Amino acid sequence: MIHRRSLTRRAALGLLGGSAAAAGGALALGSGPLAGSPATAHSLKASVIDHALRDGQTTAGMMSFAPDGPPPVLRLHRGEESLIDVTNGLDEPTTVHWHGLRIANSQDGVPYLTQWPIMQGETLRYAFSPPDAGTFWYHPHCNTLEQMGRGMTGILIVEDDEDAGFDQDLVLNLRDFRLGPDGQFINMFRARQAARGGTQGTVMTANWREEPTYDLPAGSLLRLRLVVTDVTRVYRISLTGTDARLIALDSHPTPASYQPEEIVLGAGQRADLAVRMPGTEGETVVVNTLVAGRPVALARLRATGQDAGRRLEELRPLASNPVAEPVLADAEIIPFVFGWGPGDRPASSICGTLGYTFWSINRTPWPGDLPDAPGAIARLEMGRSYIFRLQNETRYNHPIHLHGLTFRLLSSNKRKLPPLLTDTAMLQANETMDIALVADNPGDWAFHCHVIEHQKTGLAGYIRVT
């Protein structure tokens, strides 16, 4: 039995407050903040919508947290309480996970591990105070491949305490959709690909648009937030036509000296760039990724108006987030092997199953989202330092995501790693990587590959911190 901390259906509905629970979980929902609330407040409704992803073609059966397009960008404030009411307008259960946020375990959005699923027609209030500033995102953790694959991936920004000096702030939600020639959805995955690197999408989008163009003041300073909400794809990002600087990765500031030629982002990862727009009207910055070794434009940034004359050197550094530093000399080493599964069929779950078990952690595949889950794959003592030794025994990439905790990259048997803070380790083929963390957030924390087909076919588990 997992330790559920009284996560009954009654307790889950109780998080809504007495009046809402008495009304069957229904709340009046709008697009703006909730009236009269003392905290930053938002409301989201999971909905099935039809939307024109391509000119002349409307894709039916998309899913969103908005009634007519991509999920909204939520903006919160570091250290301030945020209330987010989520109503389930789907014909199936859902939850919401706040990817990268170090918040209370009860608010993490993992079915049965931290909460009861939000059933059809119900509303659940999430309440938390984000301790870190940066670029995050949110998505379901129930029926994950289908719901994310159809569009339920939104961006969450926790504002910095002090302005770094940018003129503009632009978010690009990068993701594929699996559409056929008629613009309608095709199967979300192929079993053969799920047992390999994952099934690629067919239509690449930024903010649900193919190669959009954004007009921005010439010579201005732009904070460009790139968020990979894709279920599979690895992005290899580069910019042409401008001066740009990497300033944060996975919500945490990066050293000024760390400026890779291309930025490699696996599913779930984020990068913040400081971009100086060209000084001449009409000049364009192209945001590219590599596909089969060739650059493909994801979005274009076009300069407009007179040159504002800004320089990247005018920007102030981002403040570090309050992440505890592990004491490596006292750290216990815990090995994790990411490899093949035994091939058993997974158990049935209201949160969906793909019908296959291809993957495992330490030879134990995750059986699915069930009320009675297996035990934790590691047990950590609150306040202690640990080194996780991540061994990928396969020839496929695995972006390994840890909920609720932040870790520092240490070393690899294949490459030199920058000492960055992150919540997602991009584990390359046959790579062994050491990461270090302080177990400073109690609870049961999901630990899984963010290639969703891998997660849903066994490459998942959880860490218990007590």
PDB file of all heavy atoms in Angstrom, residues 71-91:
ATOM      1  N   PRO A  71      -3.779  26.562 -23.726  1.00  0.00           N
ATOM      2  CA  PRO A  71      -3.905  26.879 -22.307  1.00  0.00           C
ATOM      3  C   PRO A  71      -3.247  28.217 -21.987  1.00  0.00           C
ATOM      4  O   PRO A  71      -2.238  28.586 -22.599  1.00  0.00           O
ATOM      5  CB  PRO A  71      -3.177  25.719 -21.615  1.00  0.00           C
ATOM      6  CG  PRO A  71      -3.297  24.586 -22.593  1.00  0.00           C
ATOM      7  CD  PRO A  71      -3.193  25.230 -23.945  1.00  0.00           C
ATOM      8  N   PRO A  72      -3.795  28.961 -21.039  1.00  0.00           N
ATOM      9  CA  PRO A  72      -3.249  30.287 -20.740  1.00  0.00           C
ATOM     10  C   PRO A  72      -1.892  30.221 -20.062  1.00  0.00           C
ATOM     11  O   PRO A  72      -1.542  29.220 -19.415  1.00  0.00           O
ATOM     12  CB  PRO A  72      -4.290  30.886 -19.794  1.00  0.00           C
ATOM     13  CG  PRO A  72      -4.911  29.693 -19.129  1.00  0.00           C
ATOM     14  CD  PRO A  72      -4.946  28.623 -20.191  1.00  0.00           C
ATOM     15  N   VAL A  73      -1.123  31.298 -20.212  1.00  0.00           N
ATOM     16  CA  VAL A  73       0.113  31.471 -19.461  1.00  0.00           C
ATOM     17  C   VAL A  73      -0.270  32.026 -18.093  1.00  0.00           C
ATOM     18  O   VAL A  73      -0.825  33.124 -17.997  1.00  0.00           O
ATOM     19  CB  VAL A  73       1.084  32.422 -20.182  1.00  0.00           C
ATOM     20  CG1 VAL A  73       2.330  32.658 -19.317  1.00  0.00           C
ATOM     21  CG2 VAL A  73       1.479  31.854 -21.546  1.00  0.00           C
ATOM     22  N   LEU A  74       0.008  31.273 -17.043  1.00  0.00           N
ATOM     23  CA  LEU A  74      -0.277  31.712 -15.678  1.00  0.00           C
ATOM     24  C   LEU A  74       0.946  32.418 -15.123  1.00  0.00           C
ATOM     25  O   LEU A  74       2.063  31.923 -15.250  1.00  0.00           O
ATOM     26  CB  LEU A  74      -0.635  30.522 -14.794  1.00  0.00           C
ATOM     27  CG  LEU A  74      -1.800  29.634 -15.251  1.00  0.00           C
ATOM     28  CD1 LEU A  74      -2.043  28.527 -14.228  1.00  0.00           C
ATOM     29  CD2 LEU A  74      -3.058  30.447 -15.480  1.00  0.00           C
ATOM     30  N   ARG A  75       0.720  33.572 -14.509  1.00  0.00           N
ATOM     31  CA  ARG A  75       1.821  34.322 -13.896  1.00  0.00           C
ATOM     32  C   ARG A  75       1.561  34.438 -12.397  1.00  0.00           C
ATOM     33  O   ARG A  75       0.546  34.989 -11.976  1.00  0.00           O
ATOM     34  CB  ARG A  75       1.970  35.701 -14.547  1.00  0.00           C
ATOM     35  CG  ARG A  75       2.499  35.594 -15.982  1.00  0.00           C
ATOM     36  CD  ARG A  75       2.778  36.962 -16.605  1.00  0.00           C
ATOM     37  NE  ARG A  75       3.332  36.812 -17.948  1.00  0.00           N
ATOM     38  CZ  ARG A  75       4.635  36.778 -18.227  1.00  0.00           C
ATOM     39  NH1 ARG A  75       5.515  36.897 -17.245  1.00  0.00           N
ATOM     40  NH2 ARG A  75       5.059  36.628 -19.477  1.00  0.00           N
ATOM     41  N   LEU A  76       2.503  33.914 -11.620  1.00  0.00           N
ATOM     42  CA  LEU A  76       2.426  33.920 -10.170  1.00  0.00           C
ATOM     43  C   LEU A  76       3.580  34.731  -9.604  1.00  0.00           C
ATOM     44  O   LEU A  76       4.467  35.172 -10.337  1.00  0.00           O
ATOM     45  CB  LEU A  76       2.473  32.480  -9.632  1.00  0.00           C
ATOM     46  CG  LEU A  76       1.526  31.464 -10.279  1.00  0.00           C
ATOM     47  CD1 LEU A  76       1.683  30.092  -9.612  1.00  0.00           C
ATOM     48  CD2 LEU A  76       0.088  31.926 -10.228  1.00  0.00           C
ATOM     49  N   HIS A  77       3.577  34.901  -8.281  1.00  0.00           N
ATOM     50  CA  HIS A  77       4.625  35.670  -7.615  1.00  0.00           C
ATOM     51  C   HIS A  77       5.314  34.791  -6.586  1.00  0.00           C
ATOM     52  O   HIS A  77       4.660  34.081  -5.809  1.00  0.00           O
ATOM     53  CB  HIS A  77       4.038  36.923  -6.950  1.00  0.00           C
ATOM     54  CG  HIS A  77       3.408  37.868  -7.922  1.00  0.00           C
ATOM     55  ND1 HIS A  77       4.134  38.759  -8.675  1.00  0.00           N
ATOM     56  CD2 HIS A  77       2.111  38.026  -8.294  1.00  0.00           C
ATOM     57  CE1 HIS A  77       3.330  39.449  -9.461  1.00  0.00           C
ATOM     58  NE2 HIS A  77       2.089  39.026  -9.250  1.00  0.00           N
ATOM     59  N   ARG A  78       6.621  34.849  -6.571  1.00  0.00           N
ATOM     60  CA  ARG A  78       7.412  34.006  -5.670  1.00  0.00           C
ATOM     61  C   ARG A  78       7.056  34.293  -4.219  1.00  0.00           C
ATOM     62  O   ARG A  78       6.999  35.447  -3.789  1.00  0.00           O
ATOM     63  CB  ARG A  78       8.905  34.253  -5.904  1.00  0.00           C
ATOM     64  CG  ARG A  78       9.788  33.226  -5.216  1.00  0.00           C
ATOM     65  CD  ARG A  78      11.256  33.422  -5.587  1.00  0.00           C
ATOM     66  NE  ARG A  78      11.808  34.580  -4.951  1.00  0.00           N
ATOM     67  CZ  ARG A  78      12.308  34.590  -3.705  1.00  0.00           C
ATOM     68  NH1 ARG A  78      12.308  33.472  -2.992  1.00  0.00           N
ATOM     69  NH2 ARG A  78      12.794  35.671  -3.184  1.00  0.00           N
ATOM     70  N   GLY A  79       6.793  33.222  -3.478  1.00  0.00           N
ATOM     71  CA  GLY A  79       6.512  33.339  -2.054  1.00  0.00           C
ATOM     72  C   GLY A  79       5.096  33.743  -1.708  1.00  0.00           C
ATOM     73  O   GLY A  79       4.744  33.763  -0.522  1.00  0.00           O
ATOM     74  N   GLU A  80       4.259  34.059  -2.688  1.00  0.00           N
ATOM     75  CA  GLU A  80       2.884  34.458  -2.426  1.00  0.00           C
ATOM     76  C   GLU A  80       1.940  33.298  -2.715  1.00  0.00           C
ATOM     77  O   GLU A  80       2.123  32.552  -3.664  1.00  0.00           O
ATOM     78  CB  GLU A  80       2.499  35.667  -3.293  1.00  0.00           C
ATOM     79  CG  GLU A  80       3.274  36.924  -2.966  1.00  0.00           C
ATOM     80  CD  GLU A  80       2.797  38.110  -3.767  1.00  0.00           C
ATOM     81  OE1 GLU A  80       1.742  38.001  -4.449  1.00  0.00           O
ATOM     82  OE2 GLU A  80       3.458  39.165  -3.713  1.00  0.00           O
ATOM     83  N   GLU A  81       0.909  33.164  -1.884  1.00  0.00           N
ATOM     84  CA  GLU A  81      -0.026  32.076  -2.070  1.00  0.00           C
ATOM     85  C   GLU A  81      -0.786  32.229  -3.391  1.00  0.00           C
ATOM     86  O   GLU A  81      -1.220  33.321  -3.754  1.00  0.00           O
ATOM     87  CB  GLU A  81      -1.033  32.000  -0.922  1.00  0.00           C
ATOM     88  CG  GLU A  81      -1.968  30.795  -1.048  1.00  0.00           C
ATOM     89  CD  GLU A  81      -2.986  30.713   0.065  1.00  0.00           C
ATOM     90  OE1 GLU A  81      -3.345  31.775   0.614  1.00  0.00           O
ATOM     91  OE2 GLU A  81      -3.427  29.587   0.373  1.00  0.00           O
ATOM     92  N   SER A  82      -0.918  31.127  -4.093  1.00  0.00           N
ATOM     93  CA  SER A  82      -1.648  31.088  -5.350  1.00  0.00           C
ATOM     94  C   SER A  82      -2.770  30.067  -5.237  1.00  0.00           C
ATOM     95  O   SER A  82      -2.562  28.974  -4.719  1.00  0.00           O
ATOM     96  CB  SER A  82      -0.717  30.715  -6.509  1.00  0.00           C
ATOM     97  OG  SER A  82       0.346  31.634  -6.623  1.00  0.00           O
ATOM     98  N   LEU A  83      -3.940  30.445  -5.706  1.00  0.00           N
ATOM     99  CA  LEU A  83      -5.092  29.560  -5.725  1.00  0.00           C
ATOM    100  C   LEU A  83      -5.472  29.326  -7.175  1.00  0.00           C
ATOM    101  O   LEU A  83      -5.712  30.270  -7.920  1.00  0.00           O
ATOM    102  CB  LEU A  83      -6.273  30.180  -4.974  1.00  0.00           C
ATOM    103  CG  LEU A  83      -6.002  30.658  -3.541  1.00  0.00           C
ATOM    104  CD1 LEU A  83      -7.243  31.324  -2.971  1.00  0.00           C
ATOM    105  CD2 LEU A  83      -5.556  29.505  -2.667  1.00  0.00           C
ATOM    106  N   ILE A  84      -5.524  28.051  -7.566  1.00  0.00           N
ATOM    107  CA  ILE A  84      -5.867  27.718  -8.943  1.00  0.00           C
ATOM    108  C   ILE A  84      -6.979  26.684  -8.904  1.00  0.00           C
ATOM    109  O   ILE A  84      -6.772  25.547  -8.475  1.00  0.00           O
ATOM    110  CB  ILE A  84      -4.650  27.179  -9.723  1.00  0.00           C
ATOM    111  CG1 ILE A  84      -3.493  28.192  -9.661  1.00  0.00           C
ATOM    112  CG2 ILE A  84      -5.037  26.901 -11.171  1.00  0.00           C
ATOM    113  CD1 ILE A  84      -2.220  27.717 -10.318  1.00  0.00           C
ATOM    114  N   ASP A  85      -8.165  27.078  -9.347  1.00  0.00           N
ATOM    115  CA  ASP A  85      -9.319  26.192  -9.382  1.00  0.00           C
ATOM    116  C   ASP A  85      -9.378  25.496 -10.731  1.00  0.00           C
ATOM    117  O   ASP A  85      -9.429  26.150 -11.782  1.00  0.00           O
ATOM    118  CB  ASP A  85     -10.608  26.964  -9.138  1.00  0.00           C
ATOM    119  CG  ASP A  85     -10.753  27.403  -7.697  1.00  0.00           C
ATOM    120  OD1 ASP A  85     -10.344  26.647  -6.804  1.00  0.00           O
ATOM    121  OD2 ASP A  85     -11.266  28.518  -7.456  1.00  0.00           O
ATOM    122  N   VAL A  86      -9.344  24.174 -10.717  1.00  0.00           N
ATOM    123  CA  VAL A  86      -9.360  23.368 -11.935  1.00  0.00           C
ATOM    124  C   VAL A  86     -10.680  22.607 -12.001  1.00  0.00           C
ATOM    125  O   VAL A  86     -10.986  21.808 -11.109  1.00  0.00           O
ATOM    126  CB  VAL A  86      -8.178  22.385 -11.979  1.00  0.00           C
ATOM    127  CG1 VAL A  86      -8.272  21.500 -13.222  1.00  0.00           C
ATOM    128  CG2 VAL A  86      -6.855  23.140 -11.953  1.00  0.00           C
ATOM    129  N   THR A  87     -11.456  22.884 -13.047  1.00  0.00           N
ATOM    130  CA  THR A  87     -12.710  22.174 -13.288  1.00  0.00           C
ATOM    131  C   THR A  87     -12.501  21.184 -14.418  1.00  0.00           C
ATOM    132  O   THR A  87     -11.920  21.518 -15.455  1.00  0.00           O
ATOM    133  CB  THR A  87     -13.835  23.154 -13.649  1.00  0.00           C
ATOM    134  OG1 THR A  87     -14.124  23.981 -12.524  1.00  0.00           O
ATOM    135  CG2 THR A  87     -15.101  22.398 -14.039  1.00  0.00           C
ATOM    136  N   ASN A  88     -12.988  19.977 -14.238  1.00  0.00           N
ATOM    137  CA  ASN A  88     -12.855  18.935 -15.244  1.00  0.00           C
ATOM    138  C   ASN A  88     -14.091  18.919 -16.133  1.00  0.00           C
ATOM    139  O   ASN A  88     -15.141  18.406 -15.749  1.00  0.00           O
ATOM    140  CB  ASN A  88     -12.651  17.571 -14.591  1.00  0.00           C
ATOM    141  CG  ASN A  88     -12.419  16.473 -15.620  1.00  0.00           C
ATOM    142  OD1 ASN A  88     -12.329  16.736 -16.814  1.00  0.00           O
ATOM    143  ND2 ASN A  88     -12.321  15.245 -15.150  1.00  0.00           N
ATOM    144  N   GLY A  89     -13.946  19.470 -17.336  1.00  0.00           N
ATOM    145  CA  GLY A  89     -15.015  19.442 -18.316  1.00  0.00           C
ATOM    146  C   GLY A  89     -14.859  18.340 -19.336  1.00  0.00           C
ATOM    147  O   GLY A  89     -15.565  18.334 -20.353  1.00  0.00           O
ATOM    148  N   LEU A  90     -13.947  17.400 -19.079  1.00  0.00           N
ATOM    149  CA  LEU A  90     -13.737  16.268 -19.977  1.00  0.00           C
ATOM    150  C   LEU A  90     -14.714  15.144 -19.643  1.00  0.00           C
ATOM    151  O   LEU A  90     -15.414  15.184 -18.628  1.00  0.00           O
ATOM    152  CB  LEU A  90     -12.297  15.749 -19.853  1.00  0.00           C
ATOM    153  CG  LEU A  90     -11.163  16.754 -19.998  1.00  0.00           C
ATOM    154  CD1 LEU A  90      -9.824  16.069 -19.750  1.00  0.00           C
ATOM    155  CD2 LEU A  90     -11.197  17.426 -21.359  1.00  0.00           C
ATOM    156  N   ASP A  91     -14.704  14.117 -20.460  1.00  0.00           N
ATOM    157  CA  ASP A  91     -15.502  12.923 -20.204  1.00  0.00           C
ATOM    158  C   ASP A  91     -14.655  11.832 -19.562  1.00  0.00           C
ATOM    159  O   ASP A  91     -14.987  10.647 -19.664  1.00  0.00           O
ATOM    160  CB  ASP A  91     -16.118  12.403 -21.510  1.00  0.00           C
ATOM    161  CG  ASP A  91     -17.184  13.332 -22.053  1.00  0.00           C
ATOM    162  OD1 ASP A  91     -17.851  14.009 -21.240  1.00  0.00           O
ATOM    163  OD2 ASP A  91     -17.343  13.387 -23.282  1.00  0.00           O
TER     164      ASP A  91
END
